[in-house]
Amino acid sequence: MSRALYSLLFSLLLPAVLLRMAWRSRRIPAYRRHWCERLGKVASAMPRQAVIVHGCSVGETQAASVLINWLTEQHPEVPVILTHTTPTGRARGEALLPDVARCYLPFDLPWLVSAWLDQLQPRALVLMETELWPNLIAACQRRNVPVSLANARLSERSFRGYQKVRRLMTPVWQALHWVGCQYRADADRLLQLGTPASRTEVVGNLKLAMPVAEAIKLKAAELRQQWCEGRSCWIAGSTHPGEEEQVLDLHIKLLQRQPSLLLLLAPRHPERAREIIELCQQRQLQVVRRSLGEQPGQSTQVVLIDTLGELMLFYGVADVAFVGGSLVAHGGHNPFEPLQMGRVALVGPHMFNFQSLLEELQPTGRVRQVADVQALEEAVSQALLEPVQDGLEGAGVMAAPGHWIAAILAQT
């Protein structure tokens, strides 16, 4: 009954969802592409009886890329499909796994996911982190398609949210064939919600094993030489409304100490570029836009990174990295990208979405949390004096690739 009500509400809201996508496509044209995939249509070239791995957006797609690389190395005979929810996730998937079949996951309505599964007849479904869809999982269960939750994480806030919809979600948790958790705290919360104890394990964070493509390192070094010759540079990545204002005001203060300092500002949603340009102009900051191909000169003070799929690259260009979503009560973003590019990640006080990860990495010194924007000013100033480039070595322990793949394929 709870799932029927969920489906009814989703059906009633679907026109609004489609209208919102159409509206967003005015700024991000990628939103108007591949609509038929979101409505369950499968291209004839899409492989059948594949392992479907769902990477919702950028972070999940990066973790999925590690898993898919392991799977194709150990079982090259098994076809793989990578699915997404957002255009940013799809763009990242194309960059990381250009040879892997991909499509958007259909909306979670019974008739859409059922038709989609009937066409693809998948061997297994792997969902990344906490990307759970009740109708999709129920449809897989009816078809004896095993569903795994890989790189699973669950913040305290999300845990409380799931407790409010127990009647809808309990069958979902119980239907999972294997749950590979990042940390012990994640596993404890998931077990309380109802994941099977015999199938829930702590296996580490896939992003610890994600290699950085040599081409990205070379491009970062090239841009660093072009843009930052004789000057320091810092980046604020994945920022949100209310955060850019704080970052720009902080940058003005830092310019008083280092007049040639360059800021790379990468909003979480690039379609907000015009709004952020206005914030820069209000502060009389000289700004150029990456999406227009504009190159920073010596008088440029801010480069707006309003493109998709390039954030890791620009973490490698900067000397110091701040990860956004953490100065405002959004809950933070995953700090692994700057760490992978050899930078210490500075984060604000609001990191409740990644509390377990923060507790794991803070003692290593690779992630540093500040209490507010004033403390961030001091942390950036200090880090610019002694930039650190030491990668992810020693940042954590995780299960061997074979264990992940065996657990996912065991039920197929």
Side-chain angles (χ1 to χ4, degrees):
M1 184 61 70
S2 295
R3 190 160 55 81
L5 179 59
Y6 159 80
S7 300
L8 175 61
L9 291 173
F10 201 148
S11 300
L12 294 173
L13 288 172
L14 185 58
V17 172
L18 294 173
L19 284 172
R20 184 172 183 271
M21 288 174 56
W23 177 259
R24 295 190 74 181
S25 73
R26 295 169 67 249
R27 295 187 177 183
I28 306 179
Y31 270 104
R32 69 175 70 113
R33 302 183 194 125
H34 311 291
W35 276 40
C36 58
E37 294 178 1
R38 297 183 186 272
L39 297 174
K41 184 174 177 57
V42 174
S44 58
M46 200 65 63
R48 270 55 177 176
Q49 296 185 327
V51 173
I52 298 175
V53 182
H54 180 56
C56 171
S57 194
V58 174
E60 296 90 349
T61 298
Q62 291 181 168
S65 71
V66 177
L67 190 63
I68 291 172
N69 283 328
W70 288 348
L71 178 59
T72 54
E73 285 174 7
Q74 296 190 18
H75 294 277
E77 76 284 359
V78 176
V80 178
I81 298 172
L82 176 60
T83 63
H84 306 282
T85 302
T86 69
T88 51
R90 189 171 185 134
R92 191 68 182 133
E94 289 171 352
L96 292 171
L97 300 163
D99 299 325
V100 173
R102 66 180 46 79
C103 64
Y104 282 114
L105 194 72
F107 294 117
D108 193 42
L109 292 169
W111 56 91
L112 295 182
V113 295
S114 292
W116 188 70
L117 290 171
D118 287 343
Q119 293 173 81
L120 288 174
Q121 300 179 339
R123 176 174 177 170
L125 172 65
V126 183
L127 304 170
M128 303 304 300
E129 301 198 355
T130 51
E131 189 70 12
L132 297 169
W133 296 102
N135 283 320
L136 175 63
I137 292 173
C140 285
Q141 193 173 26
R142 289 195 299 270
R143 290 162 177 77
N144 295 317
V145 176
V147 181
S148 298
L149 185 62
N151 219 43
R153 66 179 179 89
L154 192 69
S155 68
E156 184 63 32
R157 184 184 188 183
S158 296
F159 172 71
R160 292 194 298 269
Y162 278 123
Q163 284 184 313
K164 296 176 183 177
V165 289
R166 273 187 177 273
R167 294 186 66 179
L168 172 65
M169 294 303 299
T170 295
V172 173
W173 300 118
Q174 294 175 345
L176 297 173
H177 284 74
W178 181 70
V179 182
C181 302
Q182 295 183 16
Y183 300 103
R184 182 73 256 167
D186 301 309
D188 290 342
R189 294 183 188 115
L190 287 164
L191 287 168
Q192 289 182 62
L193 290 174
T195 60
S198 61
R199 290 175 258 161
T200 302
E201 299 182 76
V202 179
V203 290
N205 194 322
L206 277 172
K207 291 174 186 174
L208 288 171
M210 183 180 174
V212 179
E214 194 62 30
I216 293 179
K217 295 179 182 178
L218 292 174
K219 182 65 175 176
E222 178 186 337
L223 286 173
R224 182 178 174 82
Q225 186 174 24
Q226 292 174 2
W227 293 8
C228 307
E229 185 69 30
R231 66 195 304 192
S232 296
C233 173
W234 73 293
I235 183 171
S238 295
T239 57
H240 287 259
E243 206 162 34
E244 288 92 5
E245 294 91 334
Q246 298 184 67
V247 166
L248 291 172
D249 290 341
L250 167 57
H251 186 56
I252 291 171
K253 292 181 180 179
L254 293 171
L255 285 169
Q256 295 172 2
R257 307 185 192 186
Q258 295 192 42
S260 64
L261 182 63
L262 182 65
L263 167 65
L264 309 180
L265 181 54
R268 183 67 174 180
H269 301 292
E271 66 268 26
R272 297 180 51 244
R274 190 174 304 171
E275 169 191 341
I276 296 168
I277 289 289
E278 291 177 358
L279 292 175
C280 293
Q281 292 172 343
Q282 289 168 8
R283 291 161 174 78
Q284 298 183 329
L285 290 167
Q286 298 298 311
V287 58
V288 299
R289 291 179 63 172
R290 170 67 172 172
S291 65
L292 301 181
E294 298 172 345
Q295 298 295 311
Q298 284 301 311
S299 63
T300 303
Q301 296 163 311
V302 180
V303 179
L304 179 58
I305 310 300
D306 55 341
T307 51
L308 299 177
E310 291 194 308
L311 184 55
M312 178 178 284
L313 168 67
F314 286 103
Y315 277 131
V317 173
D319 298 296
V320 177
F322 164 70
V323 182
S326 58
L327 280 178
V328 292
H330 178 80
H333 289 290
N334 201 316
F336 268 119
E337 282 190 332
L339 269 61
Q340 287 173 302
M341 296 303 289
R343 305 301 185 262
V344 169
L346 302 176
V347 299
H350 303 287
M351 283 291 288
F352 48 80
N353 287 337
F354 296 91
Q355 190 59 42
S356 297
L357 179 61
L358 192 65
E359 293 170 359
E360 180 85 5
L361 293 179
Q362 270 192 293
T364 70
R366 289 166 171 79
V367 176
R368 300 175 187 170
Q369 187 173 33
V370 299
D372 49 34
V373 69
Q374 290 76 25
L376 179 60
E377 178 186 352
E378 291 305 314
V380 173
S381 297
Q382 184 62 36
L384 286 171
L385 295 175
E386 301 176 359
V388 177
Q389 301 183 25
D390 63 354
L392 274 169
E393 291 78 6
V397 178
M398 61 185 307
H403 181 82
W404 288 78
I405 303 307
I408 287 168
L409 296 181
Q411 305 295 325
T412 65

